[in-house]
Amino acid sequence: MYKRLYEYMAFTCPLYKYQFGFRKNHSTSLALISVMDEIYHQIDHDNIIAGIYFDLQKAFDTVDHGILLAKMRNCGVRGIVLNWFRNYLSNRKQCHC
């Protein structure tokens, strides 16, 4: 399912170009190079640069299932596949409380 959905989403609803997590050929090293390139570009144009960076541990645990399903539907995922995901996410806890 992952492979089919990933290929479909890449074709119909491309991810943001700076989305590096969980993508083939988009490593954390590439993310760092991209940030450094932008910093150097801004320095070359005498701009002031500030950055705040943080990592959300277990970020997927914070995703609202309703929003996720709505985004999938907006990208064209419907019918049996959308219902399969809806059923999978139903009655699941997002944290170990």
Side-chain angles (χ1 to χ4, degrees):
M1 180 54 74
Y2 167 79
K3 184 178 177 182
R4 290 181 68 191
L5 184 64
Y6 186 89
E7 289 174 1
Y8 173 79
M9 296 292 279
F11 179 73
T12 61
C13 198
L15 295 172
Y16 180 58
K17 70 178 182 176
Y18 294 114
Q19 170 65 43
F20 293 97
F22 307 106
R23 293 181 69 190
K24 187 187 285 187
N25 301 320
H26 287 76
S27 67
T28 53
S29 298
L30 186 58
L32 209 53
I33 290 168
S34 178
V35 168
M36 293 305 297
D37 282 346
E38 183 61 26
I39 289 171
Y40 291 138
H41 175 77
Q42 296 302 323
I43 289 171
D44 289 344
H45 289 87
D46 296 324
N47 293 325
I48 296 172
I49 305 158
I52 299 172
Y53 302 92
F54 57 94
D55 184 18
L56 298 174
Q57 186 176 14
K58 296 186 178 184
F60 188 75
D61 293 343
T62 65
V63 172
D64 181 282
H65 294 160
I67 293 172
L68 176 62
L69 292 167
K71 287 187 177 206
M72 290 174 71
R73 189 172 197 297
N74 288 340
C75 286
V77 178
R78 292 193 172 77
I80 294 170
V81 175
L82 186 62
N83 287 336
W84 185 79
F85 279 102
R86 184 178 291 118
N87 289 337
Y88 176 79
L89 295 171
S90 293
N91 298 317
R92 297 204 183 252
K93 294 186 181 206
Q94 293 175 286
C95 66
H96 301 286
C97 303

